[in-house]
Amino acid sequence: MSIDSPSTSRSAALFERAQQSIPGGVNSPVRAFRAVGGTPRFIARAEGPYMWDADGQKYIDYIGSWGPMILGHGHPAVLEAVLKAAHDGFSFGAPTEREIELAEEIIRHVPSIEQVRLVSSGTEAAMSAIRLARGATGRSKLIKFEGCYHGHADALLVKAGSGLATFGHPTSAGVPPEVVQHTLVLGYNDIEQLEAAFAQHGPELACVMIEPIAGNMNFVRASVPFVKRLRELCSQHGALLVFDEVMTGFRVALGGAQQVYARALPGFRPDISVFGKVIGGGMPLAAFGTSRQIMQQLAPLGPVYQAGTLSGNPVATACGLATLREIAKPGFHEALAATTRSLIDGLSTAAHEAGVPFAADSEGGMFGFFFGSELPQNYPAVLATDKERFNRFFHGMLERGVYLAPALYEAGFVSAAHSPADIAATVQAARGALRAA
Ligand code: KE4
C-alpha cells in the first residue's frame, strides 16, 4: 500500500522546501511523521471537526492541535473574542483585566488551586511548577514516571537510571548529566517502586510529577490504588504532588483528571496543577496553580523567580476565556464524553469484526487505542503492542480522510463539533483500514 498517494504532491513539495529553512521541516518533532513514515500533511485551514491540507484533501480531525481545539476549529464565540481582543491590542507587557477573569475562571473549576500564574506553553508551566516545588520545600529531588512527558525542560528530559539508587540519565543531547541527577524515574502504576523510592529518598523529595491519564503513552490510566498511595506518600514525606494536566485539564472533565480521581477517592487533591492546551483554546497559553501559601513563593512576592514577556497575552487570554466559558456550559462534557465513547465503541466493534486484537479507552474528550488484547498499564506494555499495525492503520485512515495522531505514543481528541455522522464516517473508514492493515 503506498503511504503517499498522489494527493500529497503539494504537501510533499512544501515539506521539501520546509526542510531547507527549518530543521526536519517542522517546529515540533512529532509533526514530521517520522514515527509513522510518509509525508506530513501541510494544513491550509480548518473548520469545525475538519482540516484541509495543501492539496485540498479534507480530514476528520482527531488531533485538534494535540488537545486545545475542544470546541472544534473556528467556534464563532471564540473567533469573535479573539478578533475583538486583537483590535484592542496584541500585547502590552502590562496587567489586564482579562488575565484576572481567566485566572478566576480556572480557579472556579479546580477546587485544589487558589492562585494561578499564566505562561505561554505547557513546558514553561511544568518547568515553573518544578522550580516552585523546589523553592517551596527547599528540596532538590523529584520523581517522574516512565512514559510520561512534561515538556522539554532539561530536568524532565530524563530516562530511568539503573535501579532506584541511581538517578536519571538525559534522554536528549545537550542536557548535562548533573542537570538530571536529581530526577528519579519510576515505573508508571508501580506501587512497590514508589514505596521503595520514598523509603530511600522521602525527605529529599521536592515533588512527584505525573500525567494522571498518560496521553504521552497513548492512553494509560494511573490506577486508583496507585494514585491513592502516591497521595499518601507525598503527604507523609512532605513532597508536593504535581498533576500535569496539560492534556487532561478541562478535557477529560471540566475539573480535569483530578475531578475524575476525586470521584473514586473522595477529597483527593493534588498539591500543584499544571494546565495548557484547552485553556488557551489553540493560542499559546498555559498555567500552573496551587495554594495561595505556596504561590506566595513566586516573584515578585517571594524568592522563586518566574517571568514571561507574553505571559497572560491579551489575545491568548481572550481565546482561552471564551473557550472555557463555552465548555463550562451545562452538559458540555457529558455530551463530549458520549461522542468519544461512541467513537471507540465503533472502532472496537470494527476491529472485532475484522478479527484484529484491539483495545481502546476514553475519558471525556480524550481517547486512545492499541493493537493488542488488553489496555497497557505502563510504558513497557505500550511498547509490546503492535506498532507496525498501528502505523499501517494510521495511513489507512489518513488515505480515507481521517487524521489520527501520527504516533503510537499519542492520544486522540474529539471536539464538540464532531457529529454522529463524523463518527459513523470514521468507523466506516476504519473498517476499510483494518482490512488493509
Ligand atoms: P507544550 O510545551 O508542548 O505546550 O506542552 C508540553 C506538555 C506538557 N505536559 C503534557 C502532559 C503534554 O502532553 C505536553 C505536550 N504534549 C505534546 C503531545 N504529546 C505536544 C505535541 C508536540 O510536542 O508537538
Side-chain angles (χ1 to χ4, degrees):
M1 173 192 64
S2 88
I3 53 179
D4 283 335
S5 60
S7 60
T8 61
S9 55
R10 182 133 172 70
S11 279
L14 287 170
F15 190 39
E16 188 61 35
R17 182 177 148 206
Q19 292 175 75
Q20 305 312 309
S21 55
I22 303 169
V26 292
N27 286 307
S28 199
V30 71
R31 303 177 191 169
F33 274 26
R34 296 178 75 89
V36 292
T39 301
R41 301 305 193 261
F42 280 63
I43 301 303
R45 70 180 186 89
E47 187 180 334
Y50 310 122
M51 294 196 292
W52 285 263
D53 71 14
D55 293 277
Q57 298 292 316
K58 178 181 177 183
Y59 303 96
I60 303 173
D61 175 19
Y62 288 103
I63 290 278
S65 177
W66 298 98
M69 309 317 293
I70 192 168
L71 291 170
H73 297 281
H75 187 285
V78 178
L79 194 54
E80 182 185 353
V82 167
L83 292 174
K84 181 185 179 315
H87 280 298
D88 291 345
F90 285 10
S91 183
F92 314 119
T96 62
E97 182 179 0
R98 198 160 42 244
E99 290 164 83
I100 308 168
E101 291 176 305
L102 180 56
E104 290 170 346
E105 187 74 13
I106 292 168
I107 291 163
R108 187 159 76 91
H109 300 303
V110 188
S112 67
I113 58 178
E114 294 177 322
Q115 286 196 327
V116 290
R117 173 61 60 85
L118 303 179
V119 295
S120 299
S121 73
T123 292
E124 196 181 352
M127 173 184 74
S128 304
I130 298 282
R131 186 178 312 131
L132 177 59
R134 285 171 161 168
T137 61
R139 302 176 182 180
S140 300
K141 296 196 175 349
L142 71 103
I143 288 175
K144 76 172 288 283
F145 297 94
E146 189 182 35
C148 291
Y149 174 70
H150 306 292
H152 61 91
D154 282 356
L156 291 163
L157 290 181
V158 55
K159 60 175 178 278
S162 53
L164 297 184
T166 61
F167 279 73
H169 303 295
T171 55
S172 166
V175 176
E178 54 271 21
V179 168
V180 296
Q181 66 182 336
H182 298 299
T183 307
L184 186 60
V185 182
L186 303 183
Y188 197 80
N189 278 324
D190 189 328
I191 293 181
E192 275 179 38
Q193 270 200 6
L194 199 60
E195 300 276 8
F198 270 93
Q200 199 167 344
H201 304 292
E204 306 164 273
L205 288 169
C207 65
V208 178
M209 181 174 274
I210 187 168
E211 283 187 69
I213 299 177
N216 287 288
M217 294 192 256
N218 191 308
F219 191 105
V220 180
R221 293 177 189 270
S223 72
V224 170
F226 182 71
V227 172
K228 180 174 185 293
R229 194 65 189 121
L230 183 54
R231 178 65 276 173
E232 290 166 352
L233 287 166
C234 282
S235 300
Q236 182 186 333
H237 290 272
L240 296 173
L241 176 54
V242 185
F243 255 34
D244 179 346
E245 297 229 41
V246 166
M247 201 182 283
T248 55
F250 299 92
R251 164 65 66 176
V252 299
L254 185 56
Q258 54 195 275
Q259 180 183 325
V260 175
Y261 282 95
R263 291 175 196 145
L265 300 168
F268 171 81
R269 289 182 173 190
D271 295 304
I272 299 177
S273 299
V274 179
F275 299 107
K277 298 181 192 278
V278 167
I279 68 166
M283 300 287 280
L285 194 150
F288 60 103
T290 180
S291 66
R292 180 186 308 278
Q293 184 244 334
I294 294 176
M295 289 299 265
Q296 304 299 300
Q297 297 288 317
L298 277 179
L301 299 178
V304 179
Y305 194 69
Q306 186 277 331
T309 303
L310 297 178
S311 294
N313 172 271
V315 183
T317 51
C319 192
L321 188 57
T323 298
L324 294 194
R325 284 173 171 163
E326 285 300 321
I327 71 172
K329 288 178 178 175
F332 178 88
H333 279 85
E334 291 76 4
L336 182 67
T339 302
T340 311
R341 189 49 65 165
S342 71
L343 170 68
I344 66 164
D345 288 348
L347 294 177
S348 300
T349 302
H352 179 71
E353 288 167 355
V356 173
F358 185 89
D361 194 3
S362 71
E363 187 68 43
M366 180 174 161
F367 69 93
F369 61 85
F370 302 89
F371 287 99
S373 53
E374 58 192 24
L375 285 171
Q377 297 303 307
N378 56 39
Y379 187 60
V382 171
L383 291 178
T385 63
D386 189 341
K387 178 173 175 251
E388 295 316 312
R389 187 186 282 265
F390 179 96
N391 291 353
R392 294 194 300 272
F393 180 72
F394 168 81
H395 282 289
M397 293 294 268
L398 196 65
E399 288 205 341
R400 291 170 174 81
V402 176
Y403 197 113
L404 297 170
L408 167 62
Y409 312 108
E410 300 290 353
F413 305 97
V414 172
S415 82
H418 284 78
S419 69
D422 296 315
I423 301 302
T426 304
V427 173
Q428 186 55 30
R431 290 195 182 94
L434 285 161
R435 277 196 302 276

